[in-house]
Amino acid sequence: MSRWLRGKPHSCQCAVCWIQVDFVVSVNSVLNRLSPFLSRSCLFVVLHVALQAAVFGEYTWEVFVYCWELQFHILLLLLPYLLLAGNVGCFLLCSRANPGIVTKSNAASLVKVYAYDGVLFQRGLVCPTCTVEKPARSKHCSVCRTCVHRFDHHCVWVNNCIGASNAGVFLLYLLSLTATAGAVAAVTAAFLIQVLLLSNIMHGTYLDAQGQEHAVEIPFLIQHLFLTFPRIVFMLGFVILLTLVLGGYCCFSLYLALTNQTTNEWCKSRRLRGSHLPQQPHDRPLIYKNIYSKGIWRNLREIFNPPTVLERKKKT
């Protein structure tokens, strides 16, 4: 902190000093407000649980009851709960697992697991915070304040880093979460469609503000459903949006898994396009090549069974 706030209080009463003090206090206040984003916090975990509780509360209270009265198949109605149970299990495993923390005791062995590509990862670098040699594919997480082997990213929703030891569980968590949202959306949409079919409103007509008769169209049906089941329609819209977002992220995560890349490596490789190494001629652009890909099936197996030093020694 600045010298006018350390030790003995500053006796100067000039306007500049007071402006400086106010500026530092304002910066500290902003940092305190952003602390949940800059350090490990359960804020997003609580939000995550609250959203799931709200969705499944509405699903149980209204959708499940109405569908039961309409004689939907019991397995279809229970499918979201089964997927939720699997998702909660993956969530607990992913959030409580050691992602692959690099320590002084295991750094020497982890250095031998992956080769250094000389572009994204250089041999002999030491983490200034952890004071350990950085293995290839590792990164220091500023949130967890540790180096993580095969670092992918820090996920605020599970309040943990995603690394070599929990990347497979995280992928299962992501897939199960997408499937859960999709199942809730499918059952809810099936219920609303069944309501429209039973009411026979799709073949009816309505009068507009000018008194003209029109055939029922999709906007009118959506408005009718929203006025009849406002909470269900709102939940359906939210779950559909969530399914689309999660589905896109699942596709991206599967692409990274099948090509044996991490999110950190993918982002770094995109930033390196057009840049140059210090010893490289400026008229020759830097070309990054992923040296860790071993084929689709071996890449996918590595996500769930990360290589060890002994396995690498057997291959060499």
Side-chain angles (χ1 to χ4, degrees):
M1 188 171 290
S2 305
R3 60 179 177 83
W4 57 82
L5 291 181
R6 291 200 303 261
K8 197 173 181 179
H10 193 59
S11 59
C12 180
Q13 301 296 324
C14 65
V16 175
C17 289
W18 282 113
I19 292 175
Q20 290 174 334
V21 172
D22 290 340
F23 174 75
V24 173
V25 172
S26 299
V27 170
N28 290 336
S29 177
V30 172
L31 291 178
N32 289 333
R33 293 178 181 177
L34 293 177
S35 59
F37 302 92
L38 303 176
S39 60
R40 293 195 70 175
S41 171
C42 294
L43 174 63
F44 286 95
V45 175
V46 173
L47 180 60
H48 177 202
V49 174
L51 288 175
Q52 282 192 328
V55 169
F56 272 88
E58 179 61 25
Y59 174 82
T60 304
W61 183 256
E62 291 196 272
V63 177
F64 185 92
V65 174
Y66 287 142
C67 289
W68 180 262
E69 293 177 354
L70 293 175
Q71 298 182 345
F72 275 58
H73 198 286
I74 186 62
L75 292 180
L76 179 63
L77 298 181
L78 293 179
L79 179 61
Y81 297 104
L82 298 176
L83 292 172
L84 177 65
N87 177 251
V88 171
C90 292
F91 169 79
L92 293 176
L93 290 174
C94 189
S95 61
R96 298 175 65 87
N98 180 345
I101 296 176
V102 181
T103 62
K104 293 182 179 180
S105 60
N106 65 8
S109 60
L110 291 178
V111 165
K112 302 176 184 178
V113 176
Y114 291 110
Y116 292 87
D117 61 3
V119 180
L120 297 183
F121 307 103
Q122 307 289 336
R123 184 180 297 276
L125 295 180
V126 177
C127 175
T129 304
C130 302
T131 64
V132 295
E133 184 178 358
K134 298 178 68 173
R137 311 191 77 181
S138 67
K139 186 181 182 297
H140 183 83
C141 176
S142 58
V143 179
C144 295
R145 297 182 177 90
T146 56
C147 285
V148 178
H149 189 226
R150 200 186 181 278
F151 177 85
D152 190 277
H153 70 288
H154 181 87
C155 180
V156 296
W157 299 106
V158 300
N159 197 26
N160 199 5
C161 281
I162 308 304
S165 300
N166 63 349
V169 179
F170 177 76
L171 185 60
L172 293 178
Y173 158 76
L174 196 59
L175 291 172
S176 61
L177 184 61
T178 306
T180 303
V184 172
V187 175
T188 306
F191 159 68
L192 294 177
I193 292 174
Q194 185 71 8
V195 169
L196 293 177
L197 293 176
L198 292 176
S199 64
N200 204 29
I201 193 176
M202 300 176 64
H203 303 290
T205 59
Y206 70 96
L207 299 177
D208 60 11
Q210 288 75 31
Q212 297 180 349
E213 188 176 10
H214 298 276
V216 171
E217 298 174 347
I218 293 179
F220 179 85
L221 295 176
I222 295 177
Q223 182 181 8
H224 170 73
L225 290 174
F226 186 79
L227 293 175
T228 309
F229 308 102
R231 291 192 300 272
I232 295 179
V233 173
F234 180 81
M235 182 199 71
L236 177 61
F238 171 75
V239 174
I240 289 176
L241 178 62
L242 185 63
T243 304
L244 294 176
V245 173
L246 289 173
Y249 188 43
C250 275
C251 292
F252 175 69
S253 298
L254 284 173
Y255 162 76
L256 294 180
L258 295 176
T259 56
N260 206 331
Q261 296 184 81
T262 65
T263 304
N264 177 53
E265 293 165 0
W266 185 86
C267 294
K268 281 186 174 180
S269 65
R270 293 303 178 273
R271 290 198 297 265
L272 279 174
R273 287 184 176 180
S275 59
H276 301 267
L277 289 174
Q279 67 274 16
Q280 190 177 18
H282 288 280
D283 59 345
R284 189 176 302 171
L286 178 65
I287 299 177
Y288 168 72
K289 182 180 179 181
N290 179 19
I291 67 172
Y292 305 112
S293 181
K294 307 168 186 175
I296 292 178
W297 296 114
R298 292 181 65 184
N299 292 340
L300 190 60
R301 185 178 65 180
E302 184 174 310
I303 295 295
F304 298 96
N305 185 26
T308 62
V309 181
L310 294 176
E311 289 175 349
R312 191 180 170 196
K313 284 183 177 179
K314 292 178 182 179
K315 297 175 184 177
T316 58

